[in-house]
Amino acid sequence: QVWLSESGGGSVQAGGSLRVSCVAHGDTRSGFCMAWFRQAPGKEREMIASIYNNDGTTYYRNSVKGRFTLSQDNARNTLEMNSLKSEDTAVYTCAARASHMSIYCDLQYGGYNYWGQGTQVTVSS
Protein backbone atom coordinates (compact mmCIF):
# COMPACT_ATOMS: atom_id res chain seq x y z
CA GLN A 1 0.00 0.00 0.00
CA VAL A 2 1.24 3.46 -0.88
CA TRP A 3 -0.05 6.80 0.19
CA LEU A 4 1.04 10.24 -0.90
CA SER A 5 1.38 13.50 0.96
CA GLU A 6 1.87 16.83 -0.76
CA SER A 7 3.19 20.20 0.25
CA GLY A 8 3.90 23.52 -1.37
CA GLY A 9 1.90 25.49 -3.87
CA GLY A 10 0.43 28.89 -3.09
CA SER A 11 0.06 32.14 -4.96
CA VAL A 12 2.51 34.05 -7.12
CA GLN A 13 2.50 36.67 -9.83
CA ALA A 14 3.03 35.75 -13.45
CA GLY A 15 6.68 35.12 -14.19
CA GLY A 16 7.34 33.90 -10.68
CA SER A 17 8.22 30.49 -9.30
CA LEU A 18 6.67 27.94 -6.99
CA ARG A 19 7.33 24.36 -6.03
CA VAL A 20 5.17 21.47 -4.99
CA SER A 21 6.46 18.31 -3.37
CA CYS A 22 5.11 14.82 -2.88
CA VAL A 23 6.30 12.18 -0.46
CA ALA A 24 5.47 8.56 -1.14
CA HIS A 25 4.87 6.52 1.99
CA GLY A 26 5.02 2.75 1.75
CA ASP A 27 6.98 0.34 -0.40
CA THR A 28 7.87 1.78 -3.82
CA ARG A 29 11.07 -0.26 -4.31
CA SER A 30 9.61 -2.34 -7.10
CA GLY A 31 9.41 0.62 -9.45
CA PHE A 32 6.84 3.35 -9.57
CA CYS A 33 5.80 6.15 -11.89
CA MET A 34 5.32 9.31 -9.87
CA ALA A 35 3.30 11.94 -11.68
CA TRP A 36 1.79 15.36 -11.30
CA PHE A 37 -1.64 16.17 -12.60
CA ARG A 38 -3.43 19.47 -12.57
CA GLN A 39 -7.01 20.54 -12.99
CA ALA A 40 -8.04 24.10 -13.71
CA PRO A 41 -11.60 25.32 -13.08
CA GLY A 42 -13.92 24.11 -15.80
CA LYS A 43 -11.23 21.99 -17.44
CA GLU A 44 -10.35 18.32 -17.45
CA ARG A 45 -7.51 17.00 -15.35
CA GLU A 46 -4.28 16.73 -17.27
CA MET A 47 -1.02 14.97 -16.56
CA ILE A 48 1.88 17.40 -16.79
CA ALA A 49 5.00 15.58 -15.63
CA SER A 50 6.17 12.19 -14.45
CA ILE A 51 9.29 10.49 -13.20
CA TYR A 52 10.27 6.84 -12.92
CA ASN A 53 11.61 6.40 -9.42
CA ASN A 54 14.09 3.63 -10.29
CA ASP A 55 16.13 5.61 -12.82
CA GLY A 56 14.88 9.20 -12.75
CA THR A 57 13.54 9.24 -16.32
CA THR A 58 11.22 12.20 -16.71
CA TYR A 59 8.44 13.15 -19.10
CA TYR A 60 6.76 16.52 -19.54
CA ARG A 61 3.69 17.92 -21.21
CA ASN A 62 4.64 20.34 -23.97
CA SER A 63 2.92 23.23 -22.26
CA VAL A 64 5.29 23.02 -19.26
CA LYS A 65 8.45 21.74 -20.93
CA GLY A 66 11.35 24.06 -20.29
CA ARG A 67 9.57 25.79 -17.41
CA PHE A 68 8.86 22.93 -15.00
CA THR A 69 11.41 20.48 -13.63
CA LEU A 70 10.55 17.28 -11.80
CA SER A 71 13.21 15.74 -9.58
CA GLN A 72 13.36 13.19 -6.82
CA ASP A 73 15.27 12.65 -3.61
CA ASN A 74 14.53 9.24 -2.16
CA ALA A 75 10.78 9.07 -1.59
CA ARG A 76 10.20 12.78 -2.23
CA ASN A 77 9.67 14.27 -5.63
CA THR A 78 9.55 17.98 -6.27
CA LEU A 79 8.06 19.89 -9.17
CA GLU A 80 9.85 23.20 -9.61
CA MET A 81 7.68 25.60 -11.57
CA ASN A 82 9.30 28.64 -13.15
CA SER A 83 8.07 31.37 -15.48
CA LEU A 84 4.57 30.70 -14.27
CA LYS A 85 1.64 31.89 -16.34
CA SER A 86 -1.96 32.57 -15.38
CA GLU A 87 -2.97 29.47 -17.29
CA ASP A 88 -0.92 27.39 -14.84
CA THR A 89 -3.50 28.15 -12.16
CA ALA A 90 -4.97 24.85 -11.04
CA VAL A 91 -5.16 22.27 -8.30
CA TYR A 92 -1.99 20.19 -8.55
CA THR A 93 -2.17 16.57 -7.44
CA CYS A 94 0.54 13.95 -7.27
CA ALA A 95 -0.16 10.37 -8.20
CA ALA A 96 1.63 7.04 -8.34
CA ARG A 97 1.37 3.69 -10.05
CA ALA A 98 3.58 0.64 -10.10
CA SER A 99 5.59 0.06 -13.26
CA HIS A 100 8.41 -2.27 -14.28
CA MET A 101 9.67 0.03 -17.04
CA SER A 102 10.19 3.77 -17.31
CA ILE A 103 8.45 3.98 -20.70
CA TYR A 104 5.11 3.38 -19.03
CA CYS A 105 5.54 6.63 -17.12
CA ASP A 106 5.14 8.54 -20.38
CA LEU A 107 2.16 10.87 -20.46
CA GLN A 108 -0.04 8.73 -22.70
CA TYR A 109 -0.19 5.98 -20.09
CA GLY A 110 -2.67 6.21 -17.25
CA GLY A 111 -3.63 3.73 -14.58
CA TYR A 112 -2.60 5.82 -11.61
CA ASN A 113 -4.17 4.34 -8.52
CA TYR A 114 -2.58 6.27 -5.68
CA TRP A 115 -3.42 9.96 -5.28
CA GLY A 116 -2.52 12.85 -3.05
CA GLN A 117 -4.99 15.35 -1.70
CA GLY A 118 -4.14 18.16 -4.12
CA THR A 119 -2.71 21.60 -3.54
CA GLN A 120 -3.72 24.93 -5.07
CA VAL A 121 -1.41 26.91 -7.32
CA THR A 122 -2.64 30.37 -8.26
CA VAL A 123 -0.83 32.62 -10.72
CA SER A 124 -2.06 36.17 -11.03
CA SER A 125 -1.39 38.26 -14.10
Side-chain angles (χ1 to χ4, degrees):
Q1 186 72 10
V2 172
W3 62 278
L4 307 173
S5 58
E6 300 161 359
S7 60
S11 298
V12 70
Q13 289 191 327
S17 299
L18 285 173
R19 67 174 61 163
V20 288
S21 293
C22 177
V23 177
H25 305 271
D27 188 1
T28 58
R29 290 173 296 172
S30 60
F32 268 73
C33 299
M34 308 297 297
W36 283 92
F37 290 74
R38 70 183 180 187
Q39 186 167 21
K43 294 189 176 181
E44 291 188 356
R45 185 173 61 195
E46 61 180 7
M47 185 174 165
I48 59 170
S50 63
I51 188 166
Y52 186 52
N53 72 340
N54 276 3
D55 64 12
T57 300
T58 53
Y59 299 90
Y60 297 96
R61 193 174 191 88
N62 284 341
S63 59
V64 306
K65 200 173 293 184
R67 300 188 298 123
F68 291 13
T69 302
L70 182 57
S71 61
Q72 65 178 7
D73 180 8
N74 294 319
R76 174 187 297 272
N77 70 79
T78 299
L79 185 67
E80 301 273 359
M81 302 179 288
N82 299 312
S83 302
L84 282 162
K85 307 174 182 179
S86 57
E87 51 263 44
D88 294 318
T89 295
V91 175
Y92 285 68
T93 306
C94 69
R97 53 158 287 187
S99 179
H100 63 284
M101 294 179 67
S102 62
I103 187 63
Y104 296 115
C105 302
D106 203 349
L107 270 59
Q108 70 262 36
Y109 297 105
Y112 287 83
N113 51 347
Y114 301 104
W115 295 86
Q117 76 278 12
T119 185
Q120 179 69 44
V121 169
T122 302
V123 184
S124 57
S125 56

